[in-house]
Amino acid sequence: LAYVFLSNPRLMTGHLLVIPKRHLENIAEITQEERDEIFNLLVEFEKKILKRIAAGCDIRQNYRPFIKQNRVKVSHLHFHLQPRKLEDKLSQTTQKNELWEDLSEEDLNKSVELLRN
């Protein structure tokens, strides 16, 4: 029900994708059987990454229908497994303090209300 293969373009050595065979765009569309297989593959390959490649592993999925498909945005559900190390290239370019700011009380309350209802 799913494939695992090396990402191209890759962000780092060992960057893998887990992709359902059936064409889907949104995570809400997957069946329980597909979920089980995808999750099992994520766990299996995360263990391999942690044992053989890196001390950490990011697992993520993006749903961005507002971006047109291009070389790096594919309109097919997929999950990234990204081997991570302290101070790797990804953290050096994305984990800068100016990217992050604390929620204001107003923003926190708005978010809680949106998710509650």
Side-chain angles (χ1 to χ4, degrees):
L1 299 174
Y3 298 104
V4 177
F5 55 86
L6 290 168
S7 178
N8 185 16
R10 67 179 170 86
L11 291 174
M12 63 280 295
T13 300
H15 177 189
L16 300 173
L17 299 176
V18 176
I19 302 174
K21 291 181 181 180
R22 187 167 66 96
H23 177 69
L24 308 165
E25 290 189 28
N26 186 328
I27 195 169
E29 300 172 11
I30 62 177
T31 65
Q32 184 63 52
E33 189 176 25
E34 290 167 325
R35 253 183 253 169
D36 291 345
E37 184 164 332
I38 289 167
F39 194 82
N40 288 340
L41 288 169
L42 290 169
V43 169
E44 176 185 347
F45 282 88
E46 180 190 39
K47 286 179 181 178
K48 290 179 183 185
I49 286 169
L50 295 175
K51 184 176 181 181
R52 302 175 186 166
I53 298 174
C57 181
D58 284 354
I59 299 175
R60 65 182 178 80
Q61 187 274 324
N62 300 315
Y63 179 56
R64 298 177 180 154
F66 47 86
I67 299 174
K68 291 184 180 181
Q69 184 164 314
N70 59 45
R71 184 167 184 260
V72 294
K73 194 273 185 177
V74 178
S75 296
H76 188 98
L77 178 67
H78 60 283
F79 298 82
H80 294 262
L81 286 133
Q82 297 172 321
R84 299 301 305 274
K85 298 176 183 172
L86 185 62
E87 298 298 319
D88 60 19
K89 185 177 179 181
L90 184 61
S91 69
Q92 291 172 11
T93 57
T94 63
Q95 300 299 317
K96 297 178 181 174
N97 287 336
E98 60 266 17
L99 289 175
W100 309 101
E101 61 182 69
D102 292 334
L103 281 172
S104 67
E105 191 72 28
E106 181 183 350
D107 286 339
L108 177 62
N109 291 334
K110 282 181 185 177
S111 297
V112 168
E113 280 306 308
L114 285 170
L115 296 170
R116 186 177 285 155
N117 298 325

